[in-house]
Structures are given as structure tokens and as C-alpha cells.
């Protein structure tokens, strides 16, 4: 029986208890959420991990994506990035290598982290096709399923799989065109393969078989957003909504079959369309966990896309997105380095916190920070800070003579004057 099937029967697992403790909710709340499909806990038979709950009623979670590229294959660096991401507070990790020895990289990253690890099996299948047969379009259908099973056995907890691209989706894309094309690598690979071969997407036509593999290894299905727009002018277009409709239907099938499921959303969306995207997705999928890449709310800030995505992510989380994929300052420019990974995680965590302040009215930590500031209690301020290391570093770099205040106002510290004048 799968993890979801046991939840449907009312079983409360150790993972559910751990998530409940972490989130300050009851184990029954988590069990009911998993059973209804509104919460997922990506598990694996093959690795000991720190369980994480994603979905309704739980803190908004942050994913950090790492992995080699065809140009840069430095496995030690990717392992180091995994460690940095976990230390910076990422909740999950996606290992998205597209260069080097896929299985070796996955094994080493999985061994280096206690986080749930996600993957996109389609990358490996298509890139191996390039290596073996000379082109993406020569990928053999069986390879998609073989790679999925292989990656599951390495301890992959969740997989982004592009199930919602079918002939209708591709036709919608072809008819309407796009200003910025597709920015999903998986979407681009699969669309090229389908058009070249004149065939249906095997992940759609053989969805039953895909579910069998996922259930056997208890992998959580994250329904990939293959029609992800690469420009905000293409947001919420027909191809994207078509894919969402298909994924929503398939997500019901996966849930009924006993496979935990997340639905992925877009990555480039102007601020005034974010709420509609979240409502549409939640409504169509029966409130399954919603995974968003930010979204980026403008296209003109390369080098600052971690900030652009944090603005979008705070709004999407406030409206109900459950899971945020980080964006680093290197987005659209280069493979992220270690500093980029850390900055990306911190920015996404900030966005998730701001979103939860609205989604759940969670304000206690902010209230405590207000009190600590009023009292000039620096120790407490660091304890409450999202990034205590950074806060300490900045202050230590410019310490005042009067250690009670800071060098911004020095002798004229407003807080100190108020404290000495008023007694509240
Ligand atoms: S010196 Fe100015 S900025 Fe610094 S703690 Fe006091 S009021 Fe705040």
C-alpha cells in the first residue's frame, strides 16, 4: 500500500507526526490533509530524510534547485550547493543536472542532504538520447519510464513530470504563438519530440503506466508546467491554461490511484494576474498543493531576478501557493554559484514568510521583533532575524561607540530617546 493509501485508511505515520510537530498542528490534521490530497509529504523507501509537509494549512515551503549544466560539470560544487541550500533553510532540493554522469551526481547529492530531493527524469532521458542517438527527437519512449524508475530507486522523493503537454496543448501553442517562447526545458524537449515524431506525449498517453511506477516506489508526482511562459506578456495564455486543465484532471486520477500529487504553476506573471492564477489552479485541481516558480513579475531585471521573484512569490504565497521554487541572481544569465544559491534561498524564504503573514495572519515573530527593537535588545533581534549571520555582519562592520545603538543615528537614536522620555 502506498503512503497515500495508508493515509486514506486513517493511518497516522511517523512522517505525519514529525510534520505536525514542525508545523504546530495535530497529526490528525496532517493525516486528513494527506488523505484528501490537500497536503503531500514526499517520502521515499530508499533514504532517511527529514519529512516535510507541503500544502493547505502548512507553512509555505521553499525549494532550491541545483545541478550541473552541459557547460559546467563540477559535482563537488553541486554537492556543496546542496549543503549550502539546506543550511540556508531550504525545505526541499531539486537536483536538475543536465551534464555529466546523472546517476553518480544524484547519488552523491542524496547522500549529502537530509532534505527531500526532487528531479525531472525527462531531462536525463532526452539528454541520454542526444548522447546515444544524436538528437533529442530520437528519444525512445521506454527510456522515459526506465529513467523514472532508476531515479526513484536512488531515493528521489518527488518528480516533476510533464504530463499536461498533449496534442491539444501543442496545437493551442502553435495557433496563438508566443512573445517569449517556452522557458521550460522539459516542455521544449517534449514539444520538439512530439512535433518531430507526430506522436502523443508518452507521459500523457501512458499515464497509467507512469502512475504504476510512481506508486510502486511511493514517489510524489509534481505535474510539470511544460508550457511555462518565458515572458510576462505570455502569462495566463491559452496554452498554459490548457495544460493546467489537463494536469488538474490527471491529478485527480493520480490521487484516486494512490499517488501523492502537486501541480506546478507558471514562472513569469505580472502582479495583477497572480491571484487569478492561484485561484484557477486551486479551483480546477481540487485544492491540491500548488508549486510556483516565484513568479517573476517583470522581465527587465537580469541580475536581480531573486528580488523580482521574491515580490511575485510573496503575492502568490499570500493568495494560497504552497510551495515556492527559489530564483537566484544568476537566473537567465548563468549556472548559479554557491553565493547565488544562498541568496536565492534567503530571498524565497523571505517571500514565503511575507506570504504566510497574509495567508495565515502569522505576525508573532514580527511583533516580537518590534518589541526587541524598541528595547534595543540586539541579542533577541538576531535570534528573530531571518538571516542572523548577515544582520550581525553588517552591524559588526560599523559598530558605534555606544553599543546600545547603531551608527545610523548614533547619539540621536530615536528609540533610545523615546525609551528615556516615554514609559510604555
Ligand atoms: S540608532 Fe537609529 S537606526 Fe539605530 S537602532 Fe537607534 S533608532 Fe534605530
Amino acid at each position: 500500500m502506498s503512503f497515500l493509501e495508508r493515509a486514506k485508511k486513517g493511518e497516522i505515520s511517523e512522517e505525519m507526526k514529525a510534520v505536525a510537530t514542525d508545523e504546530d498542528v495535530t497529526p490528525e490534521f496532517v493525516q486528513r490533509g494527506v488523505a484528501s490530497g490537500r497536503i503531500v509529504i514526499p517520502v521515499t523507501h530508499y533514504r532517511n530524510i527529514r519529512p516535510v509537509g507541503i500544502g493547505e494549512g502548512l507553512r509555505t515551503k521553499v525549494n532550491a534547485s541545483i545541478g550541473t549544466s552541459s557547460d559546467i560539470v563540477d559535482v563537488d560544487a553541486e554537492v556543496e550547493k546542496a549543503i549550502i541550500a539546506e543550511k540556508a533553510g531550504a525545505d526541499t532540493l531539486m537536483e536538475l543536472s543536465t551534464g555529466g554522469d546523472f546517476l553518480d551526481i544524484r547519488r552523491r547529492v542524496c547522500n549529502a542532504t537530509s532534505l527531500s530531493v526532487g528531479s525531472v527524469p525527462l531531462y536525463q532521458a532526452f539528454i541520454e538520447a542526444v548522447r546515444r542517438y544524436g538528437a533529442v527527437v530520437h528519444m525512445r519512449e521506454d527510456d522515459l519510464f526506465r529513467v523514472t524508475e532508476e531515479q526513484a530507486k536512488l531515493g528521489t522523493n518527488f518528480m516533476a513530470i510533464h504530463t499536461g503537454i498533449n496534442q491539444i496543448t501543442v496545437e493551442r501553442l502553435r495557433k496563438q504563438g508566443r512573445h517569449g517562447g517556452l522557458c521550460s526545458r522539459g516542455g521544449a524537449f517534449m514539444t520538439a519530440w512530439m512535433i518531430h515524431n507526430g506522436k502523443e506525449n508518452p507521459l500523457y498517453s501512458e499515464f497509467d503506466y507512469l502512475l504504476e511506477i510512481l506508486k510502486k516506489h511511493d514517489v510524489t508526482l509534481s505535474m510539470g508546467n511544460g508550457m511555462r511562459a518565458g515572458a510576462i506578456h505570455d502569462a495566463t495564455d491559452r496554452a498554459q491554461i490548457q495544460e493546467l486543465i489537463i494536469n488538474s484532471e490527471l491529478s485527480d486520477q493520480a490521487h484516486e490511484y494512490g499517488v501523492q500529487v502537486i501541480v506546478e504553476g507558471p514562472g513569469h506573471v505580472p502582479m495583477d494576474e497572480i491571484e487569478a492564477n492561484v485561484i484557477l489552479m486551486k479551483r480546477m485541481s481540487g485544492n491540491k498543493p500548488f508549486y510556483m516558480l516565484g513568479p517573476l513579475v517583470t522581465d527587465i531585471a537580469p541580475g536581480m531576478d531573486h528580488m523580482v521573484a521574491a515580490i511575485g512569490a510573496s503575492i502568490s504565497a499570500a493568495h494560497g501557493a504552497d510551495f515556492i521554487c527559489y530564483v537566484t541572481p544568476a537566473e537567465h544569465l548563468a549556472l548559479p554559484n554557491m553565493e547565488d544559491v544562498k541568496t536565492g534561498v534567503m530571498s524565497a524564504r523571505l517571500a514565503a514568510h511575507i506570504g504566510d503573514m497574509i495567508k495565515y495572519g502569522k505576525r508573532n515573530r514580527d511583533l516580537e521583533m518590534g518589541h526587541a527593537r524598541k528595547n534595543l535588545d540586539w541579542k533577541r533581534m538576531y535570534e528573530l532575524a531571518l538571516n542572523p549571520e548577515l544582520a550581525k555582519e553588517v552591524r559588526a562592520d560599523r559598530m558605534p561607540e555606544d553599543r546600545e545603538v547603531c551608527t545610523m543615528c548614533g547619539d540621536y537614536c530615536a528609540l533610545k530617546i523615546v525609551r528615556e522620555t516615554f514609559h510604555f
Side-chain angles (χ1 to χ4, degrees):
M1 235 190 297
S2 69
F3 183 77
L4 173 55
E5 285 173 320
R6 293 201 305 278
K8 285 180 184 174
K9 288 199 176 302
E11 186 181 314
I12 295 180
S13 67
E14 289 307 311
E15 290 91 347
M16 290 172 195
K17 287 180 197 162
V19 167
T21 306
D22 198 32
E23 301 275 352
D24 204 16
V25 294
T26 64
E28 289 75 15
F29 175 85
V30 178
Q31 176 268 322
R32 283 195 301 271
V34 173
S36 68
R38 294 179 177 215
I39 291 175
V40 297
I41 303 177
V43 291
T44 170
H45 301 162
Y46 305 99
R47 211 161 52 87
N48 283 329
I49 52 142
R50 182 157 54 85
V52 65
I54 301 165
E56 207 173 278
L58 308 181
R59 182 173 56 79
T60 302
K61 301 302 182 307
V62 166
N63 173 73
S65 295
I66 57 155
T68 60
S69 70
S70 55
D71 285 297
I72 304 176
V73 181
D74 181 344
V75 183
D76 290 341
E78 296 311 320
V79 169
E80 191 57 31
K81 285 180 204 172
I83 295 167
I84 287 171
E86 182 165 359
K87 203 169 153 218
D91 297 292
T92 64
L93 200 67
M94 287 192 82
E95 197 283 290
L96 303 179
S97 287
T98 53
D101 178 340
F102 294 106
L103 297 186
D104 178 53
I105 299 167
R106 176 68 39 78
R107 202 174 284 121
R108 287 190 55 193
V109 167
C110 282
N111 286 340
T113 183
S114 65
L115 298 180
S116 294
V117 171
S119 74
V120 182
L122 177 155
Y123 290 172
Q124 184 180 338
F126 276 108
I127 292 164
E128 282 179 351
V130 176
R131 291 176 188 170
R132 283 184 197 154
Y133 318 123
V136 159
V137 294
H138 300 318
M139 191 268 308
R140 296 180 184 175
E141 296 173 42
D142 282 354
D143 289 340
L144 281 170
F145 302 101
R146 174 186 54 78
V147 165
T148 301
E149 187 143 30
E150 227 169 63
Q151 294 196 352
K153 287 180 184 166
L154 290 174
T156 308
N157 304 72
F158 62 104
M159 292 185 186
I161 299 186
H162 301 73
T163 48
I165 308 172
N166 66 5
Q167 294 294 348
I168 304 170
T169 323
V170 173
E171 191 48 30
R172 292 252 183 282
L173 180 69
R174 205 200 310 254
K175 268 191 194 161
Q176 72 175 18
R178 276 267 170 100
H179 295 281
L182 293 180
C183 70
S184 156
R185 278 180 290 190
F189 284 152
M190 184 52 81
T191 306
W193 185 91
M194 289 166 66
I195 291 173
H196 178 87
N197 294 293
K199 283 188 173 175
E200 189 50 280
N201 171 5
L203 300 169
Y204 173 77
S205 57
E206 303 297 325
F207 188 64
D208 291 352
Y209 180 40
L210 177 69
L211 288 183
E212 258 179 53
I213 297 171
L214 297 178
K215 185 169 161 180
K216 182 171 154 200
H217 300 283
D218 232 339
V219 174
T220 299
L221 170 60
S222 184
M223 311 198 95
N225 185 227
M227 290 291 121
R228 178 171 288 152
I232 60 161
H233 273 78
D234 295 320
T236 331
D237 69 1
R238 293 170 191 158
Q240 181 205 315
I241 300 303
Q242 179 65 55
E243 185 183 26
L244 179 59
I245 292 170
I246 295 167
N247 275 340
S248 297
E249 285 170 357
L250 296 177
S251 76
D252 285 346
Q253 194 181 329
H255 180 256
E256 275 156 31
Y257 187 69
V259 171
Q260 297 193 90
V261 61
I262 295 167
V263 180
E264 293 186 16
H268 290 241
V269 183
M271 277 170 62
D272 58 347
E273 291 181 26
I274 295 175
E275 182 179 4
N277 270 269
V278 178
I279 292 171
L280 267 178
M281 179 275 157
K282 285 280 183 184
R283 178 77 183 86
M284 285 202 267
S285 75
N287 294 297
K288 296 202 176 60
F290 190 22
Y291 184 15
M292 267 221 175
L293 190 137
L296 292 148
V297 292
T298 177
D299 293 331
I300 63 152
M304 298 191 288
D305 274 341
H306 59 300
M307 290 191 252
V308 175
I311 293 168
S314 60
I315 299 168
S316 61
H319 288 298
D322 306 285
F323 193 22
I324 300 296
C325 188
Y326 85 166
V327 170
T328 77
E331 183 78 5
H332 302 114
L333 298 171
L335 190 72
N337 63 21
M338 295 176 203
E339 198 48 43
D340 293 329
V341 167
K342 188 173 173 191
T343 305
V345 172
M346 284 301 174
S347 308
R349 282 186 58 207
L350 174 62
H353 171 75
I354 293 170
D356 286 347
M357 286 173 69
I358 310 301
K359 187 161 52 176
Y360 301 126
K362 278 189 179 172
R363 312 272 166 101
N364 285 357
R365 191 165 162 185
D366 290 78
L367 179 63
E368 280 192 60
M369 183 61 101
H371 291 160
R373 286 217 170 107
K374 187 175 88 168
N375 297 329
L376 292 164
D377 182 346
W378 295 95
K379 184 170 169 285
R380 187 68 187 135
M381 281 188 250
Y382 296 142
E383 284 167 1
L384 291 164
L386 191 77
N387 187 346
E389 259 176 53
L390 179 65
K392 280 182 198 168
E393 206 179 288
V394 172
R395 181 167 155 77
D397 184 53
R398 280 146 273 172
M399 279 302 264
E401 249 174 62
D402 176 358
R403 293 297 170 105
E404 224 187 346
V405 301
C406 81
T407 46
M408 177 68 196
C409 329
D411 291 346
Y412 311 109
C413 172
L415 292 169
K416 195 168 174 183
I417 293 168
V418 167
R419 197 179 62 186
E420 285 166 2
T421 313
F422 301 98
H423 301 284
F424 53 70

